[in-house]
């Protein structure tokens, strides 16, 4: 990839967060990873009940508190102050990660350095020599939801595609990503590699193929949407 | 009469031996046993292995324990933070060993120690650097890696209230690692805001039964509660807001 | 709006399919989802695998389900009781399969299913008939056997109160298998004495968060409580004491 | 063994329960198995705090309720009505058995069909053909305490010793019993087999050896007593 591509349409980070929020059905249990994914919370419609999980031990997480009402005992996984909604529940760390590992969350939204066409995720380490390694809950989140969505720019600052044939960065999880929301387009991970679910603005399957250097195809029209928590 | 309460943090941490494995509760400021960590620093035990989610922040608490070179080895999930300079420097100088554990495996391994599970197959970390050299197995079509319990000689944790039997309740997300560390350590030492009379804690709502607890010490209410009710007026680290800061925040 | 409450036990058990694995909570009378079991009998699903601590008592509840030959296989720890004649007869006639599981392994295997653990090494049962053919391993000088999760299609459990998100609290030892079965089943169906408004249950004291629950049905208060307070006046099976019986007991 | 032995002194079941109760230090966490071991509770001194665990989810179990105050939600592992002491706590079955399996109980008192000189316990099945098998929590209890005490008659009704070289009944646990309280004597399980800790009345090491057909020795004078819950 080079950086002298014609500039394709991109959506802003807020627009992308709104787009992800719109894809999450009412009643879903959702974990939003640290960083950009946290933005998704701001775009969840007020009139729909979507229950946020934070892996440090809470379901029913609410927005940040009013100034002066920061509670150091009530924080999210990014160690930012939050509030509790009516209906919230607290639990300890093993129960919280058991909830994740046991596949009870409907959606998890994560950032990424790279996503491979097999759904491998790399988002915890650049593998740079001398860097202090730190993983937190990344590997648990990667395998811990029915739908693992990645939210990311399609290209790095130097113009390289974050969608790749094979990850070169250290893996966070193998074959775990189900969909990638980028500033250029939305991609489903399918058994045949990436499929373009929605191309924003003037992006096309072809232009995206050129940007990513990957064989891409259009997603099937009516792929199943996000599963509900219950099976009624 | 069973009385696990002790009068001071010094008494609470007495007898922690050099070379011990010490679990320290907390996730961020929430549930961090600040007063017990300070007492451990004063107590002087060294050559410790520490189990904590992080590796210390700023220059206080766990970071201060590290700065005094009391810690030989640390097991944690997220040692790298914007203000983890003490750990960073020791690590780069090769003066501290690090076992990096995904947070959920850390929690489940601690839980396994308390619950007498010999080892368990976890789906977390499969196919990554952090599972290298670990036994893999495919069960029911999914690949898992074998993870072993993390036991400790001592756990230092923080709870909201405790009674003389050692029954504990926590506050909000400050619960985090407390209940599982209490069960995983030979000697569990708890700081509470308040010691309450036996029978005050509703049996349905006790989170850690006293069987897991050895010593309880009251350290007084946190700055952000009064009479048990949340009053705010602090930053995320629990530091009282200066008036100026408070009004600045109010403007935002 | 999320609303997991349903209006009747019939609606609660609707759609349970033939061939399902059904977990049923309770230990003795405590926590037994009596009304849901009756509804399941009426609903008609057959060829079931049942997971319960026991194998039915007398001629009601689980025993009635067995008597109707709806259960092909049962996993339990203690099928033999003074009044378990229905099971006894079916078992002796070879009309029901039994997997006998030590109670602690039963609990931990159910917990493993809910927590996404692929398998775990347990010290219970080592060297006994119930571990024959199971993989053994010595870890840290102790011998363990490998145990696998028990998952279910459906869990039927009983709790004291629930809200429309499915958050639950229990009463005393009626908690028993409820919380772990709720997490281990694809569809968890709960009968509660009372449905309370969202926000009535204190977040610190919720035992089963709603994420594990699919349907909640109110079946009314138990005979031994009134307005949530214990009033007694029943025998251990929850049957109201006849006046005569009550006075006889008073004489003893 | 034959039944025409001269009748040796025996203590009653109540006396034996009292003797076990006297050996349990204050502050101990104790599980009393179904049947005779339940009797021990009646002899725990009122002025000492000893905390009873019942594996169906409770610590701080109290005596049976007053007539008319039976609570079907508050029962012990034998499904008998009990009460809750001040300081009691409830928990679910996995936590309860984790507490046991994790070695947090100080003492567990169990019945037995047989105990071998290696500390093997048989108490769940006679192996009779056609019998309905049932194990309950027996195997968990057998391995689930720092001290596993057996309470039993020394001889069966037909005069056979329940202390044996090797169990012939199906095992409940291997090498798990630490002490056996019988109506004739108290035996410690040691690396060298059974040692007589205390012989009641006119029983002697020699007479007990004859009754059991085992090589017995006297227990060392000051064997360590029951461990405390804390390590202070």
């Amino acid at each position: 990839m080079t950086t002298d591509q014609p500039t394709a349409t991109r959506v802003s980070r807020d627009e992308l967060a709104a787009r992800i929020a719109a894809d999450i059905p009412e009643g879903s249990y959702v974990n939003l990873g640290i960083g950009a994914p946290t933005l998704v919370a701001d775009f969840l419609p007020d009139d729909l009940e979507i229950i946020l999980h934070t892996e440090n031990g809470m379901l029913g997480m609410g927005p940040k508190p009013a100034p002066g009402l920061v509670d150091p005992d009530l924080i999210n996984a990014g160690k930012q102050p939050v509030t509790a909604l009516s209906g919230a529940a607290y639990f300890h760390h093993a129960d919280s990660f058991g909830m994740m590992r046991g596949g009870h969350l409907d959606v998890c939204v994560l950032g990424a350095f790279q996503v491979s066409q097999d759904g491998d995720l790399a988002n915890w380490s650049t593998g740079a020599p001398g860097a202090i390694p730190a993983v937190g809950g990344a590997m648990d989140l990667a395998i811990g939801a029915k739908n693992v969505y990645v939210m990311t720019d399609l290209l790095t600052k130097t113009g390289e595609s974050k969608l790749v044939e094979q990850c070169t960065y250290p893996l966070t999880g193998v074959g775990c990503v189900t969909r990638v929301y980028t500033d250029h387009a939305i991609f489903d991970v399918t058994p045949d590699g990436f499929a373009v679910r929605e191309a924003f603005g003037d992006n096309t399957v072809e232009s995206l193929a050129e940007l990513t250097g990957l064989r891409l195809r259009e997603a099937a029209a009516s792929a199943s949407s996000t599963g509900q928590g219950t099976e009624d | 009469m069973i009385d696990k309460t002790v009068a001071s943090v010094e008494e609470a941490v007495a007898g922690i031996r050099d070379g011990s494995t010490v679990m320290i509760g907390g996730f961020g400021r929430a549930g961090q046993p600040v007063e017990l960590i300070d007492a451990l620093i004063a107590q002087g035990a060294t050559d410790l292995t520490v189990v904590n989610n992080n590796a210390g922040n700023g220059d206080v608490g766990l970071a201060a324990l590290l700065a005094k070179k009391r810690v030989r080895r640390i097991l944690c999930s997220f040692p790298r933070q914007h203000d983890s300079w003490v750990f960073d420097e020791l690590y780069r100088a090769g003066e501290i060993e690090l076992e990096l554990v995904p947070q959920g495996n850390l929690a489940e391994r601690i839980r396994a120690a308390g619950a007498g599970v010999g080892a368990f197959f976890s789906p977390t970390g499969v196919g990554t650097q952090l599972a290298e050299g670990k036994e893999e197995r495919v069960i029911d079509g999914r690949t898992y890696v074998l993870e072993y319990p993390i036991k400790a000689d001592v756990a230092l944790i923080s709870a909201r209230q405790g009674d003389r039997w050692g029954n504990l309740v926590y506050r909000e997300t400050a619960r985090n690692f407390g209940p599982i560390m209490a069960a995983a350590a030979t000697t569990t030492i708890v700081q509470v805001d308040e010691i309450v009379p036996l029978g005050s804690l509703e049996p349905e709502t006790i989170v850690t039964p006293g069987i897991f607890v050895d010593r309880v010490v009251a350290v007084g209410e946190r700055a952000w509660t009064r009479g048990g009710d949340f009053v705010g007026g602090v930053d995320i680290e629990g530091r009282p807001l200066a008036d100026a800061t408070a009004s600045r925040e109010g403007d935002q």
Side-chain angles (χ1 to χ4, degrees), chain A residues 121-141:
Chain A
L121 173 67
N123 77 349
W124 75 282
S125 164
T126 57
I132 307 280
V135 66
M139 290 186 180
D140 307 281
L141 285 159

Side-chain angles (χ1 to χ4, degrees), chain B residues 201-213:
Chain B
L201 301 176
E202 166 60 39
E204 303 285 0
T205 70
I206 289 169
V207 174
T208 295
I211 191 170
F212 298 124
V213 171

Side-chain angles (χ1 to χ4, degrees), chain B residues 160-184:
Chain B
R160 180 180 195 161
Q161 295 177 312
D163 63 28
R164 64 179 173 80
W165 280 13
N167 292 310
L168 305 177
V169 295
Y170 300 83
R171 187 164 182 273
E172 301 168 343
T173 58
R175 187 183 303 193
N176 58 66
F177 286 93
I180 52 174
M181 287 184 171

Side-chain angles (χ1 to χ4, degrees), chain A residues 26-27 29 49 51 59 86-90 98 101-102 104 229-232:
Chain A
E26 177 158 41
Y29 292 89
E49 289 187 333
I51 299 179
L59 277 165
S86 213
Y90 301 109
R101 199 189 307 112
H104 301 282
T230 63
E231 300 223 329
D232 303 27

Side-chain angles (χ1 to χ4, degrees), chain B residues 1-4 6 17 111 113-117 163-165 167 182-187 198-204 206 209-215:
Chain B
M1 195 174 96
I2 298 171
D3 188 1
K4 299 182 179 179
V6 295
R17 284 185 291 268
R111 191 257 173 200
V117 168
D163 63 28
R164 64 179 173 80
W165 280 13
N167 292 310
T186 306
T187 300
L198 193 72
S200 313
L201 301 176
E202 166 60 39
E204 303 285 0
I206 289 169
I211 191 170
F212 298 124
V213 171
D214 298 288
R215 304 176 199 168

